[in-house]
Amino acid sequence: MSAPGSAPANDGPQVLRREFSLWSAFAFAFAFISPIVALYGIFGLALAAAGPSFWWGFALVFGGQLLVALVFAMLVSRWPLEGSIYQWSRRLLGTTYGWLAGWVYMWTLVIAMATVALGAAGFVANIAGVQAPSGGLRAVIALVILIGGTAINLIGRGALKVFMTASIVAEVIGSIGLGTWLLLFHRQNSISVLFDGGGQDIGTWAYLSGPFLIAVAFIGFSFVGFESAGAIAEEVHEPRRYLPKAVLFSLTFIALVVAYSSLAIILAIPDLDAVVAGSVADPVYETLTTALGQGIAKPVEVLFVIGFIASFLALQTSASRVIWAYARDGALPGATALARLRGSARIPVLAIGVTTVVGGALFGLSIVAGDIYALMVNFTTGGFYLAFLFPLIGFVVVLARRRWRDGAFSLGRATVPVAVLAAVWAVLQMLNISWPRPVYDQRYLDWSVWIGVAVVLAVGIAILVGVRGRIVGAEVVEELETAGV
């Protein structure tokens, strides 16, 4: 056990190898919430909720998230430390505050990882000829994806970089290529459908305050993950210079690709009324196969699988690095073992293993209780925005106390208004996402974000009480990071 105020007693200083470039950090953040995953995950839901005018929600959410990304770019340029949100929040408002921030972020990453694997499993089953896979089959396929992804992560950063680059190529070709083809040769609807709002039966304000807000909540899932470049900060060359660029570029590029692809699909939908009415289960797949023929079905599903697996890998890597950052600080039970780096690549093997075990357990729960999957999906989006709130609020408080010192990236006089607007945006979007609207037959699922947050925080506080006295000082970690630059 480590003594208070000292680093865990591991074999040598726990310094990660810097093997990621600016491109690698960008690719990592891009893959974290890939355009294909984002598009497939929210398109049908947002369209059914608000009609084709939901598309304007992309601009609103991107604007809000860009404010958040600008704040995170400032934070990562000053503190380019593994664990991102955990490290930033801790240095802004103290150890307990940072611990809770990272705890929410850690569980959001792990649950998102399992959710993405289950999503990929459905496509794998379809490619294999199983059109309606059972929950058990999906869980088994997801477990195979989990084990395969874990193997890639354990091989080293080289394998991870190759897969991330391949996924970007596949997704850009798939998203932009197919989108352009649809716009040029398969347009079925006028651009005017984007201005229809809720139709003649609903007023503008009623539409904006109701259906459009629901669509904005769904779209919120599309534009997270840009902060993940900071989760691998100590593995990136020249992090103070490169990571702010990776954070901002990844968010902007993903927003452009998702908005462009969504526009193309909206204008190519053969029966828009049927889709808005919710009678088409999968409008993305249905539109592509109608326009391009059944022969395109399998290649499109392969692209989806690549996107989902790349997202899974980025999520697992991020989650394992947050766990490792906690362990290096002595902030988790079993910290000494969890913080140990192994092999010439210096990989946190046990931390990766923990994500594998927890993911497998979540797959088992999804079989026993099918509603667990819906709860996981709902908690994931709310969890990201709640995690974002910790450093955003902490940053505003530090600015108000006049204790902020700029890092390599700064907004100058715009820092205060951007920080305040980013915090207000995140609060409003968190409330919008977690608002218990009557959507599900099981009423408790409408409260799923709050149920998930309550359970995660209750368990977290119990663990924090046990480890609080053993957490090392922030200056120790900063000395190790500086030594690795």
Side-chain angles (χ1 to χ4, degrees):
M1 180 182 297
S2 304
S6 63
N10 299 307
D11 300 329
Q14 296 305 290
V15 179
L16 294 152
R17 290 185 58 178
R18 295 188 183 276
E19 298 183 38
F20 290 133
S21 62
L22 170 60
W23 167 258
S24 300
F26 163 78
F28 187 87
F30 181 91
F32 186 102
I33 184 64
S34 74
I36 284 178
V37 174
L39 179 63
Y40 187 82
I42 63 93
F43 185 88
L45 295 171
L47 187 59
S53 294
F54 92 87
W55 186 81
W56 298 104
F58 286 119
L60 175 62
V61 178
F62 170 67
Q65 292 299 81
L66 181 59
L67 295 171
V68 176
L70 287 167
V71 173
F72 286 1
M74 286 188 279
L75 293 174
V76 78
S77 75
R78 180 169 175 189
W79 295 306
L81 298 167
E82 210 84 352
S84 60
I85 284 174
Y86 160 60
Q87 301 285 13
W88 306 335
S89 301
R90 181 183 179 189
R91 283 154 181 78
L92 289 167
L93 289 185
T95 295
T96 298
Y97 186 81
W99 197 98
L100 292 173
W103 182 255
V104 172
Y105 187 51
M106 179 195 307
W107 276 101
T108 300
L109 292 170
V110 172
I111 292 171
M113 176 196 81
T115 304
V116 167
L118 285 168
F123 290 112
V124 173
N126 288 342
I127 292 171
V130 181
Q131 297 301 316
S134 65
L137 178 59
R138 288 184 65 189
V140 170
I141 296 172
L143 183 61
V144 173
I145 292 171
L146 175 65
I147 294 171
T150 299
I152 292 174
N153 257 312
L154 292 177
I155 289 172
R157 297 174 189 88
L160 198 61
K161 288 189 288 187
V162 168
F163 197 94
M164 295 302 180
T165 299
S167 75
I168 287 182
V169 173
E171 292 201 56
V172 168
I173 292 174
S175 300
I176 297 180
L178 286 174
T180 301
W181 188 263
L182 291 176
L183 285 173
L184 290 176
F185 304 109
H186 297 281
R187 282 186 57 178
Q188 301 291 327
N189 304 298
S190 167
I191 196 76
S192 63
V193 299
L194 300 179
F195 301 91
D196 287 346
Q200 297 179 350
D201 298 331
I202 183 170
T204 301
W205 172 247
Y207 173 77
L208 291 176
S209 61
F212 187 72
L213 275 185
I214 296 174
V216 166
F218 291 133
I219 292 170
F221 179 70
S222 300
F223 300 147
V224 296
F226 52 88
E227 84 292 340
S228 65
I232 56 169
E234 293 172 52
E235 299 167 76
V236 177
H237 295 290
E238 300 184 61
R240 289 176 174 83
R241 175 186 175 192
Y242 288 150
L243 288 179
K245 296 177 182 178
V247 168
L248 296 171
F249 289 174
S250 60
L251 171 63
T252 303
F253 192 47
I254 287 172
L256 290 173
V257 173
V258 172
Y260 181 76
S261 301
S262 294
L263 175 64
I265 293 173
I266 288 171
L267 299 184
I269 292 174
D271 189 346
L272 193 55
D273 291 337
V275 172
V276 172
S279 58
V280 178
D282 188 344
V284 176
Y285 186 72
E286 183 78 15
T287 300
L288 291 175
T289 52
T290 300
L292 306 176
Q294 289 296 325
I296 197 67
K298 290 291 173 69
V300 167
E301 287 187 322
V302 170
L303 285 177
F304 284 171
V305 169
I306 291 172
F308 272 82
I309 292 178
S311 180
F312 167 86
L313 286 170
L315 284 160
Q316 185 183 47
T317 303
S318 296
S320 68
R321 274 26 174 203
V322 176
I323 292 170
W324 179 82
Y326 266 73
R328 180 178 57 179
D329 289 355
L332 286 177
T336 299
L338 285 168
R340 193 168 287 126
L341 300 173
R342 301 181 185 276
S344 59
R346 300 189 68 76
I347 299 293
V349 172
L350 191 55
I352 294 172
V354 168
T355 67
T356 306
V357 171
V358 175
L362 289 172
F363 298 154
L365 281 175
S366 72
I367 299 175
V368 176
D371 292 341
I372 291 294
Y373 181 73
L375 194 151
M376 287 164 57
V377 172
N378 293 340
F379 172 77
T380 295
T381 307
F384 276 116
Y385 282 86
L386 178 59
F388 289 172
L389 273 173
F390 281 91
L392 291 172
I393 291 174
F395 188 54
V396 171
V397 171
V398 170
L399 287 173
R401 294 174 177 172
R402 300 178 182 271
R403 294 181 179 177
W404 173 251
R405 177 170 53 83
D406 284 334
F409 178 84
S410 173
L411 297 178
R413 293 181 180 179
T415 297
V416 172
V418 167
V420 172
L421 288 173
V424 170
W425 157 256
V427 168
L428 293 176
Q429 180 68 331
M430 173 63 190
L431 291 174
N432 185 36
I433 290 168
S434 60
W435 197 263
R437 301 177 179 93
V439 174
Y440 296 94
D441 293 333
Q442 302 90 340
R443 182 60 176 149
Y444 75 90
L445 286 177
D446 296 325
W447 291 86
S448 55
V449 174
W450 296 113
I451 292 171
V453 168
V455 171
V456 166
L457 287 180
V459 174
I461 290 170
I463 292 175
L464 176 60
V465 170
V467 301
R468 181 67 178 81
R470 300 198 299 270
I471 300 177
V472 304
E475 67 279 359
V476 175
V477 174
E478 291 183 20
E479 288 174 5
L480 290 173
E481 186 273 334
T482 302
V485 173

